[in-house]
Amino acid sequence: MRLDLTTDLVTLLQTITDVESVSGNERQLADMVEDALRAREHLDVTRDGDCVIARTHVGRDQRVVIAGHLDTVPVADNLPSRLEETPDGLHVVGRGTCDMKGGVAVQLQLAGELSEANRDITWIFYDHEEVGAELNGLRRIAKNSPHLLEADFAVLMEPTNAQIEGGCQGTCRIRVTVPGKAAHSARSWLGHNAIHSLADVLERLNAYEAREIDVEGLTFREGLNAVSVGGGVADNIIPPSAHIDINYRYAPDKTPDDALAELRGVFPGYGFEVTDMAPGARPGLDREIARDFVDSVGSTPRPKYGWTDVARFSALGIPAVNYGPADPSLAHTDHEYCPADQLDTCANGLRRWLTMTKEA
């Protein structure tokens, strides 16, 4: 099957949606994307595993990256795709339509169309976004061929309801383990109940006041929450150990070291194990190229609540935003869908940005 990049976006979205590409099974779709892009003379195409990179070399003074992932979470009886007429308009329903094949369809159409853009463009279609970070296609490219990611600005086509979401929060997960002393529950006074000792940790979490922090004109709201609790041996044993897992979502004004310092301040006297850490990304909206993007798209930027791969670009010194069709709250749901009108909104916004004449 060949992809027709000149067809309408709804048809293109349905075509790529119906090629099942659960993480680890992106090969068929990556092959189709590669074949379609190699047929365009204006694109220089590179393949790394199941990641496809297509670049223009027009000689512009700026280069931008526009990226999207090909993989989806597992299918839940929601393939093949279907069209659904609603009072809000036409919806394309099916696994991956929201996260994020709607954005990929926009990328593909514009990659085939824009042979003489006002900036050189690197189109990236990558694999393994929905699984562990060690498998992520962008991470692999940054390690194997970092020159392919070089750019002045990046747009990640994650679903944002066709609105600009700048940067992203950082995320840190820690485990606080509290010791106790085992004893028979009939003689509990001979032991020390570790689960009961978690009360102080929970009280600190309840007392924590999440802050709203301005970063380059966007207000990020932080959060510190217990996400799981564990402990205990048997129904008749006083638990000798208990733990609580805590997730801190922090504003991108902080580094990972800043985040850890904040946690030490909340839990003085407690040691903890860091089980996950991913830095946030500053929006970069103070850059001229970002202002051009905002003006062209015509959207008021909002903060990105959550972590996305824009942080990978930020770590390379490349300002990046999220901008794609569909409601992110529908991602991974059994009834995820992408509104047809948002496909057009995003395609037209990017097209204006990449074809408008820049003022001298």
Side-chain angles (χ1 to χ4, degrees), residues 50-325:
D50 290 328
C51 179
V52 181
I53 305 100
R55 295 182 295 164
T56 67
H57 295 283
V58 186
R60 306 305 190 200
D61 59 356
Q62 290 180 327
R63 176 172 291 276
V64 298
V65 166
I66 302 178
H69 62 82
L70 299 175
D71 61 319
T72 73
V73 296
V75 176
D77 195 28
N78 49 5
L79 285 183
S81 63
R82 59 186 175 84
L83 299 180
E84 186 177 273
E85 290 282 0
T86 77
D88 296 326
L90 182 66
H91 292 171
V92 184
V93 183
R95 174 59 79 220
T97 52
C98 168
D99 189 12
M100 58 173 291
K101 290 185 177 180
V104 170
V106 171
Q107 284 182 264
L108 286 169
Q109 185 184 77
L110 294 180
E113 170 190 335
L114 298 178
S115 59
E116 290 287 338
N118 57 21
R119 297 171 171 92
D120 271 309
I121 309 169
T122 300
W123 304 96
I124 301 178
F125 305 85
Y126 64 103
D127 58 294
H128 286 91
E129 190 273 347
E130 298 289 6
V131 289
E134 69 279 1
L135 298 174
N136 185 287
L138 276 182
R139 180 179 184 271
R140 188 177 66 249
I141 294 300
K143 178 181 178 181
N144 295 345
S145 306
H147 66 282
L148 294 178
L149 299 183
E150 292 176 357
D152 299 285
F153 189 68
V155 178
L156 186 65
M157 301 292 294
E158 285 282 359
T160 63
N161 260 329
Q163 302 294 313
I164 298 170
E165 293 184 344
C168 71
Q169 292 170 304
T171 180
C172 176
R173 293 181 178 86
I174 63 170
R175 172 168 288 189
V176 177
T177 300
V178 176
K181 181 181 178 182
H184 195 294
S185 60
R187 294 177 291 277
S188 59
W189 59 90
L190 298 178
H192 177 74
N193 194 310
I195 291 179
H196 292 182
S197 293
L198 289 177
D200 179 59
V201 177
L202 291 170
E203 287 175 2
R204 291 173 184 273
L205 287 169
N206 279 326
Y208 183 80
E209 295 185 3
R211 286 174 292 182
E212 294 186 350
I213 298 174
D214 182 275
V215 182
E216 297 171 14
L218 301 184
T219 302
F220 288 84
R221 182 178 173 83
E222 297 193 323
L224 184 65
N225 292 280
V227 291
S228 69
V229 175
V233 178
D235 290 346
N236 59 353
I237 297 177
I238 299 300
S241 178
H243 67 264
I244 183 166
D245 294 321
I246 297 166
N247 185 203
Y248 179 35
R249 298 287 176 150
Y250 57 94
D253 65 321
K254 295 181 176 63
T255 66
D257 285 343
D258 294 333
L260 293 176
E262 174 75 7
L263 291 171
R264 293 188 190 99
V266 177
F267 303 109
Y270 288 93
F272 53 76
E273 173 191 2
V274 179
T275 59
D276 182 51
M277 175 68 82
R282 298 184 70 92
L285 296 174
D286 53 344
R287 310 284 185 91
E288 182 180 355
I289 191 170
R291 293 195 296 269
D292 286 345
F293 176 75
V294 172
D295 290 343
S296 300
V297 168
S299 165
T300 300
R302 305 180 300 188
K304 180 64 176 180
Y305 290 114
W307 188 93
T308 73
D309 276 322
V310 297
R312 299 190 187 279
F313 293 107
S314 181
L316 296 171
I318 304 168
V321 298
N322 305 276
Y323 177 67

Side-chain angles (χ1 to χ4, degrees), residues 2 7 26 30 42 148 267 330 344:
R2 280 190 170 273
T7 191
E26 299 97 328
H42 65 280
L148 294 178
F267 303 109
L330 297 172
D344 292 327

